[in-house]
Amino acid sequence: MADKFILFNDEKVDPTQLMMLTDLAQLIMEDNEVKVGFQKFGYYDPLEKQLNVSFKWRHREPHDELHALKSDCLLYGLGYAETDQKAIHEMLDTDISHRKFFMQLFVMLEEQRLIRLIVNRRPAVQKFFRTRQRLKRQDNLSQLKVYRTKKMPTDLLFLQLEEALLCENTLYLETEYDEFIDARLRTLLSQVFELTSTKASADLAISMMYVIDDLLTRDMLNDYYYLPVKLLEELTRFKEVKAVELSGTDKVSSEVETEDVLSKSQSSEGDSKSYLETEISEGQNSRAQTSEGREGNVTDEVTDIMAGRGKSEVQKDGDGFDISEHLGEENSHVSIEWQTPVITDVIVNNYSSMLKEVLPEVRKLTTIIQKTIAHRNESSRTHLTKGRLEKKLTNWFLDDQKRLFYKNDQQSKELDATFTLLVDASYSMEDKIEETKKGIILFHETLKKLMIRHEVIAFNEDTFSADKQSQRNIFDYLIKYQESLDSAAGPGITTIKAQDDNRDGLAIRVAGEMIRRRSEQQKFLIVFSDGEPSAFDYEMNGIVDTHEAVNNLIRQGVFVINVFLSQSAIDSEVEATIKNIYNDFCVFVEGVENLPYVISPLLKKLLLQSINQ
């Protein structure tokens, strides 16, 4: 079980906020694979499908912080499709001395263009960008006061240009240079409101640098805007290599061209430090840092080629199907191991003892469902205007509409449903595991008596063997789908043990792939857990990964419900996070000794829902 807030780059990230931003990013980019991350500067990485928002908006009023973060999502998510990368590469070839100032000036102008474009197309988002501009101006004014007292003329000039843009009044511009320079800069800066393309933004930045470049004695010291130059280079190399593969050019030619591009890139970086000056080290992903790799091939994904890795090892679900492509990006290094318990006489006796405690609830619930089915199968509709003639014809005299007919229901009501019970077997479940077993037994025995096929799976991650290359996840197949109605099925439930970590998103994806192949009309995945996901290198995106796994199954017609177990009062923030993960489809149990009495009405509700379909 993880804490509510996650430590990342010495910053605590609210996972609920991260889920909200991820939902927004996926919505506006129309891509359910897009992730949201926190970096020093915001930008979109198409190779990793990650939209990065900036840490600089943190530690403000909650309303302002959320609006500013949403503005990052909108700007870099929607703006990416409106940005001409070719124009950026052409701009970078321009001979400008103070390149750090130049590139940040271009990004500032381009962002202003994109903001106006986005607001024009989506007027409802204007409030987010108003907050963004107000906060940037507040930061700007405080920095201007500092730089006026220090000898930092280049940074001061840049902030003066930015202040004029944030005020949306270029006549406001006053620099430390003469009036002639100010007049030229005002004239050029006023063109920002007429920009219609990335090339136009680049041309304006170049024109302004022709005025500024000779005035500057040194480049900027600080970063205010970020142009991901290395990412652009990697994206270009990928497109070139992929184009060669698609055109059928031989392998040798492809390797020569790729090496040529790489050598040119390295030469450029050696000649000018500007490539490194705008690159930030905070939060860089492994793709940019890794020095190991292998040659890609046409079957590899974009992110796999750029990361220097190919397809992962085959991972199978409990039915033996390859599910490697359905595990999610956060689980790309997991290894899945399936285990089946060995049933002994002691285990059978333990099961019998637990069954005796829940058997009254099983009988009660089974009777209710069976009577409901019988009643609906025998019910008929009377007093109709057509159908079969009733034996009693008194309505001929009493009813002006002569409703003398009846119809039997044409279809009998049946329970066309299946269930998967997924149990968190992490160490934090130790004080809850015995009562959880009773709840699972109640579920199993009721479903068995009603002839509803189901399966029970416990999951955990091996903490001690996990590293960056591999995370071993163990799935205990306690009751198999095909064997769930056998008289001997059940004792395996008592073998559940509280062990190490819990990678919930992976478990839901694995179980989800199994249940969605079942033929039943109604599919229910019930997750028993006592906290948020917690596993190796899973703290940052584990909650988001679990949320996405749940949403993917919902879109495929699987009902996903969480039964949250606690021995004490449940913290309101934890409750809110769980509700966000499972879209409010949650049942909270305070005191696991009450679990059987919570399970019974839940199962009754789901079974009656199945009858009504």
Side-chain angles (χ1 to χ4, degrees):
M1 177 177 176
D3 293 333
K4 164 66 176 170
F5 290 93
I6 302 164
L7 197 63
F8 179 69
N9 279 1
D10 298 326
E11 287 278 358
K12 289 182 177 180
V13 177
D14 182 352
T16 303
Q17 184 185 75
L18 190 59
M19 277 191 293
M20 185 188 304
L21 296 174
T22 300
D23 288 342
L24 173 61
Q26 292 177 349
L27 177 66
I28 62 177
M29 300 194 74
E30 300 180 350
D31 187 344
N32 294 326
E33 295 182 357
V34 172
K35 305 284 191 286
V36 170
F38 280 84
Q39 298 269 355
K40 182 178 178 181
F41 295 101
Y43 65 96
Y44 177 62
D45 183 344
L47 300 177
E48 297 288 349
K49 285 194 173 183
Q50 178 158 314
L51 198 163
N52 295 306
V53 295
S54 177
F55 265 126
K56 70 183 178 184
W57 304 122
R58 305 302 304 275
H59 312 301
R60 303 175 192 261
E61 291 296 324
H63 180 269
D64 287 348
E65 179 180 324
L66 185 59
H67 274 210
L69 290 171
K70 285 184 176 181
S71 75
D72 268 6
C73 283
L74 292 162
L75 176 58
Y76 303 117
L78 296 175
Y80 178 77
E82 303 295 333
T83 303
D84 182 355
Q85 295 175 18
K86 182 180 179 181
I88 295 177
H89 284 288
E90 292 175 352
M91 178 202 70
L92 291 174
D93 291 334
T94 307
D95 184 17
I96 299 292
S97 299
H98 302 89
R99 297 192 64 81
K100 193 170 183 179
F101 188 105
F102 174 42
M103 283 189 279
Q104 293 194 62
L105 175 62
F106 160 73
V107 176
M108 180 173 66
L109 298 174
E110 178 70 351
E111 284 193 5
Q112 291 298 316
R113 178 185 76 85
L114 292 173
I115 288 172
R116 287 194 302 278
L117 178 65
I118 293 168
V119 170
N120 183 55
R121 292 180 179 176
R122 301 178 182 233
V125 305
Q126 187 173 23
K127 58 185 178 182
F128 303 128
F129 289 105
R130 282 177 178 169
T131 301
R132 179 191 186 89
Q133 300 289 75
R134 173 170 56 80
L135 295 178
K136 286 181 76 71
R137 194 175 180 204
Q138 288 175 1
D139 295 343
N140 205 20
L141 290 174
S142 63
Q143 289 173 319
L144 280 169
K145 292 179 181 178
V146 174
Y147 293 159
R148 283 193 176 100
T149 61
K150 294 184 177 181
K151 295 182 179 180
M152 300 176 66
T154 310
D155 287 62
L156 177 60
L157 174 60
F158 185 87
L159 293 178
Q160 288 170 334
L161 293 171
E162 183 182 38
E163 178 65 15
L165 288 177
L166 294 175
C167 294
E168 296 186 350
N169 182 6
T170 56
L171 297 178
Y172 178 85
L173 176 65
E174 290 184 2
T175 72
E176 306 302 308
Y177 300 96
D178 58 48
E179 181 58 31
F180 177 71
I181 296 296
D182 287 355
R184 294 182 64 186
L185 290 177
R186 289 188 199 116
T187 301
L188 289 170
L189 203 58
S190 63
Q191 298 177 25
V192 74
F193 305 108
E194 301 172 0
L195 297 175
T196 57
S197 66
T198 303
K199 187 177 187 307
S201 298
D203 289 343
L204 179 56
I206 293 171
S207 297
M208 294 182 69
M209 288 306 298
Y210 286 155
V211 177
I212 296 169
D213 212 19
D214 291 338
L215 300 175
L216 304 178
T217 58
R218 59 184 300 182
D219 212 339
M220 290 172 63
L221 296 177
N222 298 308
D223 295 309
Y224 309 97
Y225 292 85
Y226 175 57
L227 182 63
V229 176
K230 286 188 176 180
L231 174 60
L232 294 172
E233 292 173 352
E234 288 179 355
L235 187 58
T236 300
R237 289 199 296 271
F238 170 76
K239 289 180 178 179
E240 290 175 351
V241 172
K242 208 66 178 174
V244 171
E245 291 174 351
L246 294 175
S247 65
T249 305
D250 61 35
K251 182 177 179 182
V252 174
S253 176
S254 174
E255 291 176 349
V256 170
E257 291 184 19
T258 304
E259 290 174 0
D260 183 53
V261 173
L262 286 169
S263 64
K264 288 180 180 179
S265 171
Q266 293 166 355
S267 175
S268 298
E269 293 179 17
D271 294 341
S272 173
K273 293 183 180 179
S274 59
Y275 285 91
L276 298 175
E277 286 173 343
T278 55
E279 205 56 57
I280 58 174
S281 60
E282 290 88 341
Q284 284 184 328
N285 55 47
S286 58
R287 171 181 53 74
Q289 293 175 339
T290 183
S291 59
E292 298 179 358
R294 68 148 179 86
E295 181 183 1
N297 61 66
V298 294
T299 65
D300 290 339
E301 296 294 332
V302 174
T303 54
D304 288 339
I305 289 181
M306 298 315 300
R309 62 179 185 271
K311 286 187 175 180
S312 60
E313 296 180 3
V314 173
Q315 304 297 336
K316 295 184 178 181
D317 64 16
D319 296 327
F321 288 90
D322 182 4
I323 56 172
S324 305
E325 296 182 358
H326 305 285
L327 301 183
E329 182 181 346
E330 298 302 322
N331 309 303
S332 58
H333 295 292
V334 301
S335 62
I336 295 175
E337 180 180 318
W338 287 89
Q339 298 180 354
T340 303
V342 177
I343 307 302
T344 64
D345 291 340
V346 174
I347 291 174
V348 173
N349 291 335
N350 290 340
Y351 184 77
S352 298
S353 299
M354 288 188 173
L355 177 58
K356 288 179 183 179
E357 296 185 43
V358 299
L359 194 56
E361 285 293 325
V362 173
R363 289 171 177 167
K364 178 182 176 182
L365 183 56
T366 304
T367 300
I368 292 173
I369 300 301
Q370 287 174 337
K371 286 183 177 180
T372 302
I373 295 173
H375 173 73
R376 299 200 179 192
N377 284 343
E378 294 172 0
S379 65
S380 61
R381 291 172 288 152
T382 59
H383 303 296
L384 305 177
T385 57
K386 59 182 179 179
R388 294 185 179 185
L389 186 66
E390 295 181 354
K391 291 182 180 180
K392 295 182 180 181
L393 302 179
T394 52
N395 277 347
W396 176 267
F397 305 101
L398 302 176
D399 191 342
D400 294 337
Q401 296 184 17
K402 313 302 181 187
R403 291 177 291 191
L404 309 174
F405 304 91
Y406 73 96
K407 285 184 178 180
N408 289 321
D409 282 349
Q410 296 179 354
Q411 295 182 347
S412 62
K413 297 293 182 180
E414 296 181 354
L415 287 167
D416 187 17
T418 185
F419 288 77
T420 294
L421 308 184
L422 193 58
V423 186
D424 171 5
S426 62
Y427 183 75
S428 61
M429 285 283 289
E430 187 174 28
D431 61 340
K432 314 172 191 73
I433 204 71
E434 293 304 312
E435 295 298 329
T436 302
K437 292 176 184 178
K438 295 176 186 178
I440 301 296
I441 291 172
L442 190 157
F443 238 111
H444 163 64
E445 289 293 335
T446 303
L447 295 175
K448 186 164 67 171
K449 287 183 180 297
L450 295 172
M451 302 299 291
I452 299 173
R453 293 194 180 276
H454 54 281
E455 54 199 342
V456 181
I457 302 169
F459 67 95
N460 75 93
E461 178 171 294
D462 186 351
T463 304
F464 300 102
S465 67
D467 55 32
K468 290 185 177 181
Q469 282 69 45
S470 178
Q471 300 97 43
R472 176 171 170 257
N473 277 256
I474 300 99
F475 289 82
D476 293 303
Y477 210 167
L478 307 175
I479 296 179
K480 297 183 178 180
Y481 173 82
Q482 296 295 346
E483 302 172 358
S484 58
L485 303 183
D486 295 351
S487 58
I493 295 172
T494 63
T495 64
I496 302 174
K497 294 181 180 179
Q499 299 183 65
D500 297 328
D501 284 340
N502 54 300
R503 190 176 288 265
D504 296 22
L506 171 69
I508 291 172
R509 292 173 194 274
V510 172
E513 285 300 308
M514 296 168 68
I515 195 172
R516 74 179 186 86
R517 289 196 297 267
R518 309 305 182 204
S519 60
E520 288 82 358
Q521 181 179 359
Q522 296 285 299
K523 301 177 176 68
F524 299 97
L525 175 60
I526 316 295
V527 183
F528 293 82
S529 68
D530 70 333
E532 300 163 11
S534 177
F536 182 88
D537 200 21
Y538 200 58
E539 287 75 13
M540 177 61 181
N541 290 323
I543 289 176
V544 176
D545 179 57
T546 305
H547 179 58
E548 290 177 352
V550 170
N551 284 343
N552 288 339
L553 286 180
I554 291 174
R555 284 192 287 266
Q556 298 179 74
V558 179
F559 292 90
V560 185
I561 301 167
N562 177 259
V563 178
F564 188 90
L565 310 171
S566 178
Q567 289 287 44
S568 58
I570 300 172
D571 182 80
S572 60
E573 290 186 346
V574 173
E575 182 174 336
T577 300
I578 298 301
K579 285 183 176 180
N580 281 325
I581 291 175
Y582 291 93
N583 303 301
D584 288 331
F585 292 105
C586 313
V587 177
F588 294 92
V589 183
E590 293 184 351
V592 291
E593 67 277 2
N594 300 315
L595 181 59
Y597 309 106
V598 175
I599 289 294
S600 185
L602 171 63
L603 182 54
K604 176 183 174 182
K605 182 177 181 179
L606 297 178
L607 291 173
L608 292 177
Q609 175 181 322
S610 300
I611 296 174
N612 292 328
Q613 290 297 318

